[in-house]
Amino acid sequence: MSLIRALSKDLEARSDDSLRALFAARPDLISPAAPDFAALAARASARVSVQRALERLTKPEMQVLEALHLCTNPDTGHGVSAAGLKKAIAGATLTALEGILHRLGDLALIHRCEPPAGTHPPVSRQRFYLPVGSLKDVVGIYPAGLGRSYTELVRLQPAFAQRVVHLVAELRRSGAGVPEAATPMEAALALQRWTSGPKALEGILAGAPERTRALLDKFGNWAMGAVPQAQRMASIDHEGPDVGPVDWLLARGLLVPLDASHVELPHSVGLALRGGMIVDHFTVQAPRPELGLTSALLRRNAALGAIAEALRLLGELLAAVREQPLATLRSGGVGVRELKRLADRLRLDLREAGLFLELAALAGLVRLDVDSSTWIQPPGLEWLALPRQEQWLWVVNAWLASERAPSLVGQPVSVSAGHQGRPNSAGTTINALSAEAQRPDAPLIRRRVLDILQELTVEASAPDGRAPVLDARSVLERAEWSQPRMARRFSSLVPGILREAELLGLIGSGALTQLGSAIAVEDPDRALEILGEHLPAAVNHVLLQADLTAVAPGYLAPGLGEHLAVLADAEGQGPATIYRFSEASIRRALDAGQDAASILQFLREHSATDVPQPLEYLVQDTASRHGRLRVASSASFIQSDDEAAIGELLQEAGASSLGLVRIAPTVLTSAASPRETARVLRELGLSPTVQEPEPAVVRFKRTAAVAGSARPVYSAPRSAPAEDDVEAQLAVLRHRPGVAEPSGEASAQLGLEALQRAIRLKQAVTMNVVDGDGNSNSETVVPVSVSGGRVRVFDPARDTERVLSIHRIVDVEPAAGQAAKPNK
């Protein structure tokens, strides 16, 4: 029976509550709404949907599912029960297996089937299961880490098929108890029988060289391995005492070469090494790592210090961007030169400067101005006026929801867009704010990491309030158990996520903080309350010293810190920052429009001590020499011998757009280009001449008005469909129960399933094929392969092979009578 039809009947027999649970766990099944149960079953069997569902399974659930896949045969309808799986999974109990099978059934990854023919009570009263049809494609060629059978390797590896008969003959000559074989397939079956069972393999390995066992142990979790010169094959007749374990195994077919540098451990050998069990390490309990503990005081102080420092650095970063926007590269992102300038200003290394720049961008504190291709601070940024605890929550919310991975900045560019890997041939690294740091699954992984941190903290918390110290290894260990199919994505992002969480105060001294716990359980109000209670208030004064320095006795208020950064150069890091005054720094303030009186007044208002005399002298002396020579910019100038005409032009309202300044009785300067200046003067009725060509073309761009900044509000990634959508889907399904003819969506999947089954069983099918004129013809053929929307078939009536487009096939049914066979 068709697996899709069987699953459709199973879904139709479920209660509404069971279907609601299915839709909550697999929301893609009803997006868009399925027209009937057959279409719902087809979607549940689709490869992409099954792959998504498998990403949410725990390690024991995946082990049971893969064992079930290896113990069943969907083509013949041979299912397996919990009792049958218990024989293939070491350490499993019937209670645990039945619970997992029930869970997999609720997810529509498996469904009930009839007991195998010939079974008797009480076996016939057990529940037998079959997996969905696409499971084989999703789990890959090495389910449960076991390799392919000898027969598959002979069929798929031509080089091995050519010498497998000779290999069996050599084994027989050496005295091995291998059955005689005349063809490659017979030789494969002979090797399979020879290596079946732990006792048989023990006898074979009794005469193996040293280190052979250690080599085979490396194949415990995966069937393929890298071996230099894998296609060499030592002859049994010419083996010496110094033969290595690889040559010894290759000569006996216990390892099968795949190419010049890779080998595979055949299924029967891997199974025997595991004691005949498909799964030899099984537990339903999540691993609990050995963790150190830290005190609540250390954890809190570390978190508060990190938060205050992060807010200070973000404030300094915004001041630096306001002073000089960051230019972008043609390829996108901020280059090393611009990042180095920012890092020097913040007194950080390049990696940390890039990380804070990424945090500022994902929080909307800086944005890309498309007109100038620079990163600027948005006008009217609300963040600057918020209390510090709300500034922190703004950044944390944006970080949780962002699809960027800030910690990837500075790392080698990956060959894969989704995972870190080998650097490309150019050896380039990921630039800040570039597309290479984009990771669409980052919000889901951050959410899962916070959940794991919360789980481990609750499990290991000491009664005296101490908290466990968590590292990337312990988090990855739990993540790989809870979602093994996502282990690679976790391994590439978890270390960076933990580093970012530490900078934001969600982790302190390696432990999840109270703030982190509140964010993990989605209680931001509690986090604001904790932070408002414990975060020290910003100081509004400095200590001026006679050595021309000012010491900040804590984190300065944003306005004070920004103003002081113009007057002096910051030195060092942390809350007690030292600011050094110099002639250059005072001149910088004077250039910004300040004067000596305003500078000294500011220092008196914000100093806890009197202004030292050396500092007062420095300000007054620098101001007295400032401005003797003035430098200004001008795009063009206007000259006339008529002083009165120059004076009238300066007073002309229509010339106000030129930004005219009189620098001599007969000379005006203009902020506009010569061409623009001449155009305006002509509109005023004058007849100017342009004496020299324009040095540069100036383009005036109209910058779109920027809407007021909106605070980012985090909401957890949606995993369940809306309740209204679920109820609407149930209404559609219950309105059309037991539909005789499945919808077009289901028909396509049913036809493809029938073709794939016929290919595996080498059976003939009868299909209705529509030609270019719309005429339907019934044909009996033997499908050979399906790929790329086409099916290759053998036509026994014409003794030829043809290729048909799948979209022209209306329906597929097994052919009546004896199945035809294609020519070999």
Side-chain angles (χ1 to χ4, degrees), residues 633-758:
S633 61
S634 176
S636 60
F637 69 90
I638 304 169
Q639 190 272 336
S640 174
D641 295 335
D642 189 347
E643 293 185 19
I646 289 292
E648 291 176 2
L649 179 60
L650 193 60
Q651 301 300 321
E652 183 68 48
S656 60
S657 62
L658 299 178
L660 299 177
V661 177
R662 192 168 190 168
I663 60 174
T666 60
V667 180
L668 299 176
T669 63
S670 172
S673 66
R675 182 178 300 172
E676 178 68 14
T677 301
R679 184 189 64 78
V680 173
L681 294 180
R682 290 188 184 102
E683 291 178 354
L684 295 176
L686 302 175
S687 302
T689 59
V690 180
Q691 294 183 345
E692 57 185 21
E694 209 173 339
V697 177
V698 180
R699 298 180 176 87
F700 293 89
K701 297 181 179 180
R702 180 172 297 175
T703 303
V706 179
S709 57
R711 302 189 190 185
V713 178
Y714 171 72
S715 58
R718 190 177 185 87
S719 58
E723 184 177 348
D724 291 344
D725 294 340
V726 172
E727 296 305 319
Q729 176 65 88
L730 288 174
V732 171
L733 294 175
R734 295 307 185 194
H735 182 66
R736 301 182 65 196
V739 179
E741 289 296 329
S743 61
E745 179 181 353
S747 296
Q749 284 290 97
L750 287 167
L752 187 60
E753 181 190 45
L755 286 174
Q756 292 171 337
R757 184 172 185 272

Side-chain angles (χ1 to χ4, degrees), residues 179-225:
E180 188 176 358
T183 66
M185 193 57 67
E186 289 179 0
L189 293 172
L191 289 174
Q192 205 157 294
R193 287 194 292 270
W194 181 54
T195 57
S196 61
K199 291 184 179 180
L201 187 62
E202 284 293 333
I204 297 171
L205 296 177
E210 293 182 7
R211 306 187 308 278
T212 302
R213 275 286 186 180
L215 175 65
L216 290 174
D217 289 342
K218 295 181 180 180
F219 292 89
N221 296 321
W222 199 244
M224 187 179 70

Side-chain angles (χ1 to χ4, degrees), residues 434-758:
S434 64
E436 286 82 2
Q438 196 80 8
R439 294 293 184 271
D441 54 356
L444 288 172
I445 294 180
R446 285 194 194 100
R447 178 75 261 167
R448 186 63 191 125
V449 168
L450 285 177
D451 290 342
I452 290 173
L453 291 173
Q454 178 73 359
E455 292 171 11
L456 293 175
T457 300
V458 171
E459 291 174 5
S461 292
D464 57 0
R466 291 185 297 167
V469 177
L470 305 167
D471 55 10
R473 179 193 58 80
S474 57
V475 174
L476 283 173
E477 185 180 12
R478 177 60 63 89
E480 290 171 1
W481 183 88
S482 61
Q483 290 177 277
R485 297 276 296 186
M486 294 184 66
R488 187 178 178 187
R489 279 180 277 178
F490 275 111
S491 64
S492 66
L493 293 181
V494 163
I497 288 175
L498 294 179
R499 170 61 178 149
E500 295 156 16
E502 189 173 15
L503 290 177
L504 295 173
L506 303 176
I507 295 175
S509 291
L512 185 69
T513 63
Q514 289 181 308
L515 294 170
S517 180
I519 295 297
V521 299
E522 299 184 34
D523 189 0
D525 293 337
R526 173 62 179 158
L528 282 177
E529 181 183 342
I530 295 171
L531 196 57
E533 179 182 352
H534 295 290
L535 187 65
V539 298
N540 205 30
H541 68 276
V542 294
L543 304 175
L544 296 178
Q545 303 186 110
D547 62 350
L548 300 180
T549 60
V551 177
Y555 290 102
L556 298 178
L560 174 58
E562 184 178 345
H563 200 151
L564 193 60
V566 178
L567 290 172
D569 298 314
E571 298 177 350
Q573 286 286 8
T577 304
I578 296 176
Y579 293 86
R580 185 169 299 280
F581 298 93
S582 64
E583 183 177 345
S585 67
I586 299 298
R587 190 183 302 116
R588 183 172 65 229
L590 295 171
D591 289 339
Q594 302 183 48
D595 56 23
S598 64
I599 292 174
L600 292 174
Q601 180 64 26
F602 170 79
L603 293 176
R604 292 188 186 102
E605 290 177 355
H606 294 91
S607 174
T609 60
D610 293 335
V611 178
Q613 195 175 55
L615 178 57
E616 189 171 351
Y617 284 167
L618 175 66
V619 173
Q620 293 174 345
D621 183 59
T622 304
S624 66
R625 291 182 282 107
H626 184 266
R628 292 180 180 177
L629 294 177
R630 298 184 181 181
V631 178
S633 61
S634 176
S636 60
F637 69 90
I638 304 169
Q639 190 272 336
S640 174
D641 295 335
D642 189 347
E643 293 185 19
I646 289 292
E648 291 176 2
L649 179 60
L650 193 60
Q651 301 300 321
E652 183 68 48
S656 60
S657 62
L658 299 178
L660 299 177
V661 177
R662 192 168 190 168
I663 60 174
T666 60
V667 180
L668 299 176
T669 63
S670 172
S673 66
R675 182 178 300 172
E676 178 68 14
T677 301
R679 184 189 64 78
V680 173
L681 294 180
R682 290 188 184 102
E683 291 178 354
L684 295 176
L686 302 175
S687 302
T689 59
V690 180
Q691 294 183 345
E692 57 185 21
E694 209 173 339
V697 177
V698 180
R699 298 180 176 87
F700 293 89
K701 297 181 179 180
R702 180 172 297 175
T703 303
V706 179
S709 57
R711 302 189 190 185
V713 178
Y714 171 72
S715 58
R718 190 177 185 87
S719 58
E723 184 177 348
D724 291 344
D725 294 340
V726 172
E727 296 305 319
Q729 176 65 88
L730 288 174
V732 171
L733 294 175
R734 295 307 185 194
H735 182 66
R736 301 182 65 196
V739 179
E741 289 296 329
S743 61
E745 179 181 353
S747 296
Q749 284 290 97
L750 287 167
L752 187 60
E753 181 190 45
L755 286 174
Q756 292 171 337
R757 184 172 185 272

Side-chain angles (χ1 to χ4, degrees), residues 170 173-174 234-239:
E170 279 201 342
R173 283 196 298 270
S174 67
S235 173
I236 296 176
D237 294 338
H238 299 89
E239 287 182 356

Side-chain angles (χ1 to χ4, degrees), residues 3-5 7-8 11 26 29 36-47 49-50 134 743-750:
L3 293 177
I4 294 178
R5 293 184 186 277
L7 181 58
S8 175
L11 294 173
R26 299 178 64 178
L29 298 185
D36 51 43
F37 280 105
L40 185 64
R43 292 183 188 180
S45 303
R47 178 173 180 170
S49 181
V50 172
S134 61
S743 61
E745 179 181 353
S747 296
Q749 284 290 97
L750 287 167

